[in-house]
Amino acid sequence: MILDTDFIIIGSIIIILLTPLYIYRKKVYNFFTRQGDFETFEENIKNYLHTYYPKIEFDYSIIQKTKMEKDAKLRQILVIEDLVSQFFDFEYELETQKCIHKDFLWSTYEQNCKPIKEKLPNDWSKRKEFTYRRDNCKCKRCGLNIELIDAQIILIRPLANGGGYNFENLITLCSDCNKILNSQIKSIKSSLIEDALLTKTTVK
Ligand SMILES: [Zn+2]
């Protein structure tokens, strides 16, 4: 069988055209699925945040704002950065904590509520567990479900301001929220120090 010249030429052109397509198949695939990738990412991140931080209402307007960004990776980073800063800036309201029914308390409870030389009371692990159970095993700031071992129990009113280890003054936080709260307290502290220094200089 003798092949037609036209057939050979067309065949060669097709092979030449298909070869780079085959070599760069991954890039081509990524190019066509870029948009789809972002949509999956958007759906996943919304599900994730809703499941893990149900108490925080995130504002997703950043997704619209970055619509013109063609680089899907960069857009994802911008979105994540925005959501992380929202998580960080989330206004945290301290609710009045429910106390635990007197029948559940133990004989040394009352006397151990008062701080002794800034040492944790010897029934601290019991208090920690009770507070954690009362807060339904969740972080009171973001609503994340946490294990007892990861729970951070903090004092609403610090010992220095007259707070104690009574249940009404204890609250459960996850480690991220605890870090955020500590850093906020530190920044408030440093701004207070700055204010104080400024006042001093003016008085002088
Ligand atoms: Zn939290």
Side-chain angles (χ1 to χ4, degrees):
M1 186 183 131
I2 299 162
L3 288 173
D4 198 311
T5 338
D6 286 353
F7 183 83
I8 294 169
I9 292 167
I10 292 168
S12 310
I13 291 170
I14 291 173
I15 290 167
I16 289 165
L17 284 175
L18 287 180
T19 313
L21 206 66
Y22 177 76
I23 294 169
Y24 297 109
R25 61 193 184 280
K26 265 195 179 169
K27 281 191 177 170
V28 173
Y29 173 79
N30 285 343
F31 180 80
F32 285 111
T33 52
R34 223 175 229 183
Q35 200 53 38
D37 272 352
F38 188 83
E39 276 159 20
T40 321
F41 161 81
E42 184 185 335
E43 202 184 307
N44 287 344
I45 201 146
K46 281 182 180 171
N47 280 340
Y48 176 85
L49 294 176
H50 181 74
T51 313
Y52 289 99
Y53 309 117
K55 278 189 83 178
I56 303 180
E57 272 184 36
F58 287 94
D59 169 17
Y60 293 103
S61 60
I62 184 72
I63 291 171
Q64 282 303 312
K65 283 181 203 157
T66 53
K67 219 176 173 181
M68 298 307 283
E69 180 52 63
K70 286 213 174 71
D71 186 340
K73 264 274 166 323
L74 181 63
R75 195 176 168 201
Q76 288 177 7
I77 292 167
L78 292 171
V79 170
I80 290 171
E81 263 185 9
D82 185 87
L83 295 171
V84 166
S85 71
Q86 283 185 50
F87 177 74
F88 192 90
D89 296 335
F90 174 64
E91 287 289 335
Y92 169 62
E93 279 174 45
L94 290 170
E95 313 158 26
T96 322
Q97 297 304 299
K98 283 179 279 168
C99 56
I100 287 168
H101 197 274
K102 279 209 164 129
D103 291 352
F104 293 106
L105 302 178
W106 48 97
S107 60
T108 56
Y109 171 78
E110 280 297 339
Q111 77 182 71
N112 279 340
C113 284
K114 290 174 205 133
I116 319 153
K117 289 174 196 164
E118 293 201 16
K119 237 181 157 185
L120 284 175
N122 49 23
D123 53 8
W124 175 247
S125 58
K126 211 169 177 181
R127 280 167 204 263
K128 182 180 169 175
E129 195 175 335
F130 267 67
T131 308
Y132 168 77
R133 305 252 175 254
R134 179 203 62 194
D135 294 342
N136 301 319
C137 319
K138 285 186 179 116
C139 169
K140 290 295 277 183
R141 181 179 179 269
C142 69
L144 174 74
N145 278 305
I146 35 178
E147 295 291 327
L148 176 61
I149 196 160
D150 301 318
Q152 314 273 318
I153 308 297
I154 65 148
L155 304 183
I156 299 171
R157 185 198 281 253
L159 296 178
N161 293 347
Y165 295 110
N166 49 312
F167 286 124
E168 296 85 341
N169 197 37
L170 300 177
I171 198 169
T172 310
L173 290 183
C174 71
S175 62
D176 283 345
C177 287
N178 190 29
K179 275 181 214 146
I180 290 168
L181 224 67
N182 278 333
S183 67
Q184 279 172 352
I185 289 167
K186 268 181 201 152
S187 65
I188 293 165
K189 268 187 189 165
S190 57
S191 70
L192 280 174
I193 291 166
E194 267 176 35
D195 282 355
L197 284 170
L198 277 175
T199 332
K200 262 191 179 172
T201 36
T202 0
V203 168
K204 269 179 185 175

